[in-house]
Amino acid sequence: MLKIIVSLLICLPVFTLADDCINVPAPKARIIYLHGMNLKEHTVNEKKRRVLFNKISKEKSIEIFLPRSKMQCPKHKTMLCWMWGRGASDKINNKWDQILERSKNCFKSQSKLLYLGFSNGGNYLNQVFQSCAGGNFISVGASGGSLDKAPRDLSNCGSYFSVIGKSDKAVYARGKGFFSQLKKLNANAKLLEFNGGHELPEQVLIELLKELEI
């Protein structure tokens, strides 16, 4: 009997924690942040990013929604991902609609909305952008994010910023290559390189908020 119970527990899916939310009085803007590959209890780096988001939220009067993915990474069963490999447009859009619906439980305003994704979360945002969801997208430390059916024109799909560390060996070359593909499809896209690795740089994020008039 004990062996049967243990086997059942091993087969159980990874259960995620509740979504996080940072609110401020009279917010001037909103951000939906999608984490990178993450543990159920948050990786050390994701915990650090939440400290950063709390700081920026107070300084810039921004409310921030931090949803948790419910998907196991196919090759890393103890971790959570937003996507893996080439994605089907309908599934990407369905997941995005669910994220936007969940954000309603966090946001208290209708102020300007930005989408920010790091690493795997950035890859998923890249897919959403190519699905022409519209809006302002900031993808940090992302290497790509292809669709099952390649888009033909991205000129009316919103604004897109790719932020890549020059020392991010796993992402730098692929990320720049992916950015070039978006530009060939007439995307309203801008590349920002910084001196650093696989990280979300505070100063670059602050500069982007200024560029977006926040």
Side-chain angles (χ1 to χ4, degrees), residues 194-206:
F194 66 94
N195 295 319
H198 199 58
E199 57 189 290
L200 199 165
E202 178 179 354
Q203 190 56 43
V204 174
L205 181 55
I206 290 174

Side-chain angles (χ1 to χ4, degrees):
M1 179 62 71
L2 180 60
K3 289 183 178 180
I4 294 175
I5 294 174
V6 171
S7 297
L8 289 172
L9 289 173
I10 291 173
C11 293
L12 287 174
V14 174
F15 292 99
T16 60
L17 298 178
D19 297 334
D20 295 322
C21 185
I22 303 174
N23 292 116
V24 292
K28 298 178 181 178
R30 298 172 292 162
I31 292 176
I32 294 178
Y33 168 73
L34 303 185
H35 58 73
M37 288 176 59
N38 200 5
L39 296 170
K40 181 181 176 182
E41 302 296 338
H42 289 311
T43 62
V44 172
N45 287 330
E46 282 297 335
K47 289 179 180 178
K48 290 179 180 178
R49 289 181 197 114
R50 278 154 176 73
V51 173
L52 170 62
F53 291 142
N54 274 288
K55 175 185 176 184
I56 289 178
S57 174
K58 293 178 182 178
E59 292 178 352
K60 300 292 183 180
S61 295
I62 301 173
E63 52 182 351
I64 304 175
F65 175 54
L66 305 97
R68 301 298 306 276
S69 175
K70 299 178 181 180
M71 171 186 168
Q72 284 182 330
C73 303
K75 294 184 179 181
H76 305 275
K77 298 296 185 180
T78 62
M79 304 197 79
L80 305 173
C81 287
W82 292 102
M83 54 78 72
W84 200 267
R86 190 178 298 272
S89 299
D90 57 341
K91 293 182 179 180
I92 291 167
N93 292 332
N94 287 339
K95 182 180 292 186
W96 187 240
D97 288 341
Q98 292 172 16
I99 292 171
L100 294 178
E101 186 66 26
R102 285 155 61 185
S103 74
K104 294 178 182 179
N105 295 321
C106 172
F107 293 141
K108 306 301 180 185
S109 75
Q110 295 296 319
S111 53
K112 190 171 185 177
L113 179 58
L114 313 177
Y115 309 121
L116 171 64
F118 177 76
S119 193
N120 184 266
N123 288 341
Y124 174 63
L125 271 192
N126 290 347
Q127 292 178 326
V128 175
F129 174 72
Q130 291 173 92
S131 299
C132 220
N136 299 295
F137 294 80
I138 303 174
S139 183
V140 183
S143 59
S146 301
L147 303 180
D148 55 346
K149 296 180 181 178
R152 295 184 178 181
D153 185 84
L154 297 173
S155 57
N156 295 310
C157 295
S159 63
Y160 174 87
F161 298 87
S162 177
V163 182
I164 307 175
K166 295 178 182 179
S167 301
D168 193 346
K169 296 180 180 179
V171 168
Y172 186 70
R174 289 186 296 165
K176 288 190 68 176
F178 179 78
F179 177 82
S180 296
Q181 293 176 22
L182 296 184
K183 291 296 289 184
K184 290 178 181 178
L185 296 173
N186 304 312
N188 177 20
K190 183 175 181 179
L191 175 65
L192 295 98
E193 301 178 44
F194 66 94
N195 295 319
H198 199 58
E199 57 189 290
L200 199 165
E202 178 179 354
Q203 190 56 43
V204 174
L205 181 55
I206 290 174
E207 291 173 1
L208 270 175
L209 292 176
K210 288 181 180 179
E211 185 166 340
L212 291 166
E213 299 180 347
I214 295 172

